[in-house]
Amino acid sequence: MTQRKTFLVVGATSGVGLQVAARLFHQGHQVLGVARKHRPEFNGLLLTEDASLADAYQTIGDFAVNSCGHPLGGIFHGAGAELVQPLKGSKQHNLEAMLDYVRATHTVLRLATRPSLLGDGASVVVMSSVAAHRGVPGLAAYAASRAAAEAMV
């Protein structure tokens, strides 16, 4: 086994984020999770926080530093929602959910620049989608949010 590291997973209690967190945990690593909701399936230390909020950078950064006491081996950003709906029929709250993904990506990138939060050789992975590059009916807002996140990275 490789050396035990600590990873921060944003969006840790559902979807791909939960799967990445579980994989890291089963490989023997410490997992710090950030999610809007607690779920019992998550194995690790969880901060219930919305990463898209303006002050999330400070809250999540402090959580990571105070929880492990050493630099992180990496950050995985898998938070977000999927919206399959024609843009014309979308409601304001659906579009806000897509914008939340972009805001959360900004938080993750700010964390990556926080002094001494990441260790040597650490990685930052931002989950995206092929929809950001291909026209897919009903996925305009979703695709735009993923393309915006990719542009920041």
Side-chain angles (χ1 to χ4, degrees), residues 10-11 34 36 49-54 56-57 60 75 77-80 97-111 126 149 152:
V10 179
V34 177
R36 292 178 179 174
E49 176 70 46
D50 184 344
S52 70
L53 299 177
Y57 158 77
I60 296 169
I75 302 173
H77 171 31
M98 296 301 98
L99 188 55
D100 283 351
Y101 174 79
V102 178
R103 291 182 188 119
T105 302
H106 180 256
T107 297
V108 167
L109 296 177
R110 285 189 67 200
L111 286 168
V126 175
M152 285 192 281

Side-chain angles (χ1 to χ4, degrees), residues 7-14 21 30-39 42-53 55-67 79 107 111 114 117:
F7 291 91
L8 179 67
V9 178
V10 179
T13 61
S14 66
Q30 180 182 15
V31 180
L32 305 177
V34 177
R36 292 178 179 174
K37 298 177 186 173
H38 177 268
R39 298 256 167 78
F42 175 74
N43 293 310
L45 188 57
L46 183 69
L47 171 67
T48 305
E49 176 70 46
D50 184 344
S52 70
L53 299 177
D55 61 350
Y57 158 77
Q58 189 67 43
T59 305
I60 296 169
D62 291 348
F63 166 71
V65 168
N66 296 331
S67 296
T107 297
L111 286 168
R114 185 170 168 155
L117 184 65

